[in-house]
């Protein structure tokens, strides 16, 4: 027998053995459905810090942090900050997990930058940029979380009034092109605008849009950014002369219930903005979750918002010396909410923007926190339902500082952040403890500069630490041909040699 013939016989024999084994071990249909996904640490996180355009004299601090406990089992990795327009231009790197990195930039204008965290740096990674301007238009602290690019982003509570200057910053940090629409809404509903439909963004490309060039004179507005293809990073910055400036946080997705934590005790003005995101008018109930209880504020128990309408409600100094949170409940349709807070009086003020935050199902991570000199850090914790128990962990690279906080049901507690020994800047983890009820959190940085309370507030969302990985098992049945179905009893028989009907 020739060698080639012998080899072919062996191959056929082995294949027959494998197929036969696969046939005998073919699992039942129900067996495959028993497999459950397992959670593994995420391996990559991207975060975009928007372009900074401030007046001369401004400085910006870029911070990033990965909790050490979140990276267990993730393998080696790195976290690098680069320019989006040219990824070869590295602005900085993180040294190690469990140790925050701070990168100061003493220029008024900075291009959009992007963090890429991989391996052990990815799970729980958080980044932020904070800009400080001591005098002039836009004076104060302006902070924003560096966000992962998305496809559907809302910003509620900006304005194109003559005394306001608001910009929309868009950047494509991905390796593929993006096609983007921008929608603008005001008190009378959707605004018909040209030039911001089907905008194309090449990889690394960024554009800035001054919102009053789309529609001037809106006392209050909502911005909607939609990526039709690809993904886009979006941010909105709002300035009101010497009153103050800050970034608007993303408002999340339309819904019927929101908790907005972070109302300072000494707020001199609180303005609530509600956007009717559905095709139906609705009434929205307003409650304050305060120091001792949850209650409806007299004269502001509810607000009616029409479909597509942006409505602003001036609550005044509603906190009355006690830190709190807003709880909004829509009756018949989905809405979105935003809050603008002013502290100080007369010419000595600063402003910040808030939005609804989800309850912390896991830890929340805030990369930038300050201590020492004129700086103080305050953590707001709100428990809208059951009592909550939270541990605060502050890390600066050495021994962490911790604090355990109990939050009674239906109340808000404001506490100073724990500070590691000798630290001027540190990262903060906010961790609900076992048995805790739902808790919503925010953090305020305050710098008392002469008579001006410069401040910025960021809400805390659950950190992205794990991803569900589907269970995979070997299945040789892919080599077995499924049996053909049996002809039905009603099929018309064919006569041998005759064509089938």
């Amino acid at each position: 027998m020739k060698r080639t013939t012998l080899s072919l016989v062996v191959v056929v024999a082995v294949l027959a053995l494998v197929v036969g084994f696969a046939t005998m071990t073919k699992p039942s249909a129900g067996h495959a459905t028993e497999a459950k996904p397992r959670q593994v640490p995420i391996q990559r996180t991207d975060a975009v810090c928007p372009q900074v355009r401030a007046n001369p004299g401004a400085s910006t601090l870029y911070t990033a942090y990965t909790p050490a406990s979140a990276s267990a089992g993730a393998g080696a990795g790195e976290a690098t900050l680069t320019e989006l327009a040219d990824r070869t231009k590295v602005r900085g790197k993180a040294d190690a997990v469990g140790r925050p990195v701070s990168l100061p930039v003493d220029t008024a204008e900075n291009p959009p930058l992007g963090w890429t965290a991989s391996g052990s740096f990815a799970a729980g990674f958080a980044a932020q940029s904070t800009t400080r301007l001591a005098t002039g238009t836009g004076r104060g602290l302006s902070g924003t979380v560096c966000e992962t690019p998305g496809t559907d982003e809302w910003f509620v509570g900006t304005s194109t009034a003559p005394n306001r200057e608001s910009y929309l910053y868009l950047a494509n940090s991905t390796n593929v092109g993006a096609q983007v629409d921008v929608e603008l809404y005001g008190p009378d509903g959707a605004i018909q605008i040209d030039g911001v439909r089907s905008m194309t963004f090449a990889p690394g490309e960024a554009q800035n849009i001054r919102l009053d060039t789309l529609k001037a004179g809106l006392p209050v507005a909502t911005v909607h950014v939609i990526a039709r293809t690809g993904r886009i990073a979006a941010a909105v910055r709002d300035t009101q002369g010497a009153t103050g400036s800050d970034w608007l946080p993303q408002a999340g997705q339309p819904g019927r219930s929101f908790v907005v934590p972070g109302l300072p005790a000494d707020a001199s003005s609180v303005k609530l903005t509600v956007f009717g995101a559905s095709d139906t008018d609705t009434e929205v109930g307003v409650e304050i979750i305060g120091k001792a209880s949850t209650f409806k504020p007299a004269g502001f128990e509810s607000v009616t918002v029409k479909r597509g309408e942006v409505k602003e409600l001036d609550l005044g100094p509603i906190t009355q010396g006690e830190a709190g949170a807003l709880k909004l409940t829509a009756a018949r349709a989905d809405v979105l909410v935003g809050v603008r807070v002013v502290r100080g009086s007369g010419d000595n003020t600063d402003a910040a923007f808030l939005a609804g935050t989800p309850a912390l199902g896991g830890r929340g991570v805030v990369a930038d926190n300050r201590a020492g000199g004129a700086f103080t850090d305050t953590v707001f914790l709100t428990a809208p339902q059951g009592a909550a128990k939270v541990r605060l962990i502050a890390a600066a690279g050495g021994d962490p500082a911790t604090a355990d906080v109990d939050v009674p049901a239906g109340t808000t507690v404001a506490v100073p952040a724990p500070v590691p020994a000798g630290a001027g800047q540190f990262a903060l983890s906010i961790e609900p403890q076992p048995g805790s009820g739902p808790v919503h959190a925010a953090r305020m940085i305050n710098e008392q500069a002469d008579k001006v309370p410069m401040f910025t507030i960021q809400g805390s969302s659950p950190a992205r630490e794990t991803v569900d990985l589907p269970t995979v098992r070997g299945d040789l049945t892919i080599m077995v041909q499924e049996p053909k179905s049996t002809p039905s009893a009603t099929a018309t028989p064919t006569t041998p040699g005759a064509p089938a009907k």
Side-chain angles (χ1 to χ4, degrees):
M1 180 178 295
K2 293 182 179 180
R3 183 180 301 273
T4 54
T5 304
L6 180 60
S7 299
L8 182 59
V9 171
V10 172
V11 171
V12 172
V14 171
L15 183 59
L17 179 62
V18 171
V19 172
F21 177 78
T23 303
M24 290 186 294
T25 59
K26 183 177 181 180
S28 64
H31 181 75
T33 62
E34 295 175 1
K36 295 182 179 180
R38 58 191 178 94
Q39 289 190 330
V40 297
I42 63 174
Q43 292 297 311
R44 179 185 171 98
T45 296
D46 294 311
V48 176
C49 305
Q51 178 179 358
V52 174
R53 299 183 66 187
N55 284 346
S59 61
T60 299
L61 184 69
Y62 294 90
T63 56
Y65 175 69
T66 299
S69 59
S71 62
E78 62 179 2
T80 306
L81 181 66
T82 59
E83 295 187 13
L84 293 189
D86 184 354
R87 287 293 195 172
T88 65
K89 294 183 178 180
V90 177
R91 289 296 193 98
K93 292 184 177 181
D95 296 328
V97 297
R99 181 188 306 158
V101 59
S102 301
L103 305 170
V105 180
D106 292 327
T107 54
E109 294 201 15
N110 300 306
L113 305 177
W115 284 99
T116 300
S118 62
S120 58
F121 286 82
F125 180 83
Q128 182 175 332
S129 68
T130 306
T131 300
R132 180 185 186 274
L133 180 62
T135 60
T137 301
R139 176 196 58 204
L141 293 178
S142 303
T144 183
V145 174
C146 301
E147 297 277 10
T148 299
T151 59
D152 190 12
E153 297 155 289
W154 293 89
F155 302 89
V156 178
T158 188
S159 171
T160 65
N163 62 340
R164 300 276 279 274
E165 182 178 282
S166 300
Y167 279 89
L168 170 64
Y169 296 87
L170 301 171
N172 181 9
S173 65
T174 71
N175 294 324
V176 298
Q179 187 178 62
V180 177
D181 291 348
V182 175
E183 298 174 345
L184 186 65
Y185 298 84
D188 295 326
I191 308 297
Q192 298 299 317
I193 49 180
D194 298 323
V196 288
R197 295 280 183 177
S198 299
M199 293 186 296
T200 58
F201 288 79
E205 183 180 357
Q207 295 186 37
N208 308 323
I209 301 172
R210 182 160 170 161
L211 292 177
D212 61 7
T213 64
L214 303 181
K215 177 65 176 179
L218 296 176
V220 64
T222 289
V223 180
H224 187 200
V225 179
I226 310 159
R228 301 298 182 186
T229 60
R231 293 181 299 149
I232 199 76
V236 173
R237 192 168 189 264
D238 184 296
T239 299
Q240 183 178 1
T243 299
S245 66
D246 214 332
W247 297 89
L248 272 70
Q250 292 188 18
Q253 292 301 302
R256 300 194 183 184
S257 180
F258 296 89
V259 173
V260 183
L263 297 181
D266 60 350
S268 55
S269 172
V270 176
K271 292 186 177 181
L272 167 66
T273 302
V274 183
F275 168 63
S278 297
D279 291 334
T280 304
D281 302 349
T282 188
E283 185 178 15
V284 180
V286 180
E287 295 178 280
I288 301 291
I289 305 176
K291 180 179 179 180
S293 64
T294 299
F295 59 93
K296 291 183 177 294
F300 303 106
E301 295 86 352
S302 66
V303 56
T304 300
V305 59
K306 299 177 180 179
R307 59 179 184 177
E309 177 188 20
V310 184
K311 176 170 283 189
E312 186 177 67
L313 189 64
D314 189 348
L315 305 178
I318 199 168
T319 56
Q320 297 295 323
E322 295 183 357
L326 281 173
K327 181 179 179 182
L328 294 314
T329 306
R332 296 181 299 278
D334 289 349
V335 298
L336 282 167
V337 300
V339 174
R340 184 172 186 263
V341 176
V342 175
R343 294 174 63 225
S345 61
D347 295 331
N348 302 313
T349 61
D350 194 9
F353 293 88
L354 311 175
T357 69
L360 292 178
R363 92 179 89 201
V365 180
V366 184
D368 186 14
N369 304 273
R370 312 290 178 88
F375 283 105
T376 57
D377 251 43
T378 303
V379 181
F380 303 90
L381 302 170
T382 298
Q385 299 175 22
K389 182 180 288 291
V390 177
R391 174 163 293 175
L392 306 177
I393 304 175
D399 294 333
T402 63
D404 291 325
V405 184
D406 292 320
V407 188
T411 69
T412 293
V413 172
V415 296
V419 180
Q425 194 276 334
F426 58 95
L428 184 68
S429 295
I430 305 171
E431 302 185 0
Q433 298 300 289
S436 172
V439 61
H440 302 253
R443 184 276 292 117
M444 178 176 72
I445 299 176
N446 178 72
E447 181 187 3
Q448 192 63 38
D450 195 10
K451 297 180 180 180
V452 180
M454 301 198 303
F455 75 109
T456 184
I457 305 173
Q458 279 73 53
S460 182
S461 297
R464 296 178 64 248
E465 298 188 25
T466 61
V467 64
D468 287 339
L469 185 68
T471 301
V472 179
R473 63 185 300 274
D475 188 356
L476 294 175
T477 59
I478 60 173
M479 302 176 62
V480 181
Q481 184 178 3
E482 292 291 335
K484 296 180 180 180
S485 57
T486 304
S488 64
T490 58
T492 305
T494 59
T495 303
K501 295 183 180 180

